[in-house]
Amino acid sequence: MGREDDVALSVAEFVDYCDTQAGLLMGNVETMTTEADALLDDIDDRVSEVRARLEDSPEDVETAEHPPSTDGPEREIDTAAVTELEREIEETQAVVEAKRARIVAFRELADGYGSLADDLRSEVDDGREALDRVVRFEADADAPVYFDDRQTVYEAATSEESKEK
């Protein structure tokens, strides 16, 4: 960034930035947690539906020792429907697991921003050093991939550097 003389860099601004990024990430964690909970509720509903379908199956399973009853109509398991429900449950479980992994990653990055903000508050007096630490942290954490609608300091710094070249 070649305009060091034009802009005074403030440690407090970078601390606020880190706190804001951590807050945004935790907001995403809350949203994903709500979504995962809804998916888990859906899984519970589907498991209950599978159980209900299986409970509606005939009590006497046809075997060589126990032929089917002739006392009344046979109830049959809709195996295709049960199989489809099982497939849907497995797909939903995979989505929940992916969300859980994202939740962990977002939490870890939020914690990293929080720790960085604390470090900047207690260890750094120079805005330039604060900028360098934020840029290094975001590069190491691949932070830009977590912010679809926001430009990170790292992205701003690297795009500024590429403009200067």
Side-chain angles (χ1 to χ4, degrees):
M1 296 174 76
R3 295 187 214 152
E4 291 176 37
D5 300 329
D6 296 344
V7 179
L9 300 174
S10 161
V11 173
E13 290 173 323
F14 288 109
V15 169
D16 287 344
Y17 168 80
C18 289
D19 287 338
T20 298
Q21 296 293 83
L24 291 170
L25 290 164
M26 288 310 293
N28 286 331
V29 165
E30 289 176 20
T31 299
M32 288 185 286
T33 300
T34 300
E35 293 168 354
D37 289 345
L39 290 169
L40 289 171
D41 289 343
D42 184 50
I43 289 171
D44 287 343
D45 293 344
R46 290 174 191 265
V47 167
S48 295
E49 187 176 343
V50 168
R51 283 190 182 128
R53 287 178 186 257
L54 293 175
E55 287 171 0
D56 287 342
S57 67
E59 291 178 21
D60 293 324
V61 176
E62 183 177 339
T63 64
E65 297 173 16
H66 297 89
S69 170
T70 57
D71 296 340
E74 282 292 314
R75 292 181 291 167
E76 293 184 20
I77 299 174
D78 184 352
T79 55
V82 170
T83 301
E84 178 63 18
L85 283 169
E86 288 174 339
R87 186 191 60 74
E88 290 172 3
I89 290 168
E90 290 171 0
E91 286 177 2
T92 304
Q93 287 173 327
V95 171
V96 169
E97 288 306 313
K99 280 199 181 291
R100 285 182 177 161
R102 284 187 56 145
I103 288 168
V104 168
F106 273 66
R107 269 195 186 126
E108 288 175 354
L109 185 58
D111 291 346
Y113 271 112
S115 294
L116 179 58
D118 291 343
D119 291 349
L120 294 177
R121 271 187 207 97
S122 64
E123 300 172 6
V124 178
D125 295 326
D126 177 57
R128 184 65 158 151
E129 182 183 345
L131 170 66
D132 291 342
R133 283 194 182 194
V134 170
V135 168
R136 265 194 321 268
F137 169 78
E138 289 184 338
D140 292 345
D142 203 16
V145 300
Y146 293 84
F147 298 97
D148 295 333
D149 57 345
R150 257 179 97 88
Q151 185 179 39
T152 62
V153 168
Y154 168 72
E155 290 172 305
T158 55
S159 75
E160 187 65 29
E161 287 173 7
S162 66
K163 286 179 188 176
E164 290 176 3
K165 290 182 181 177

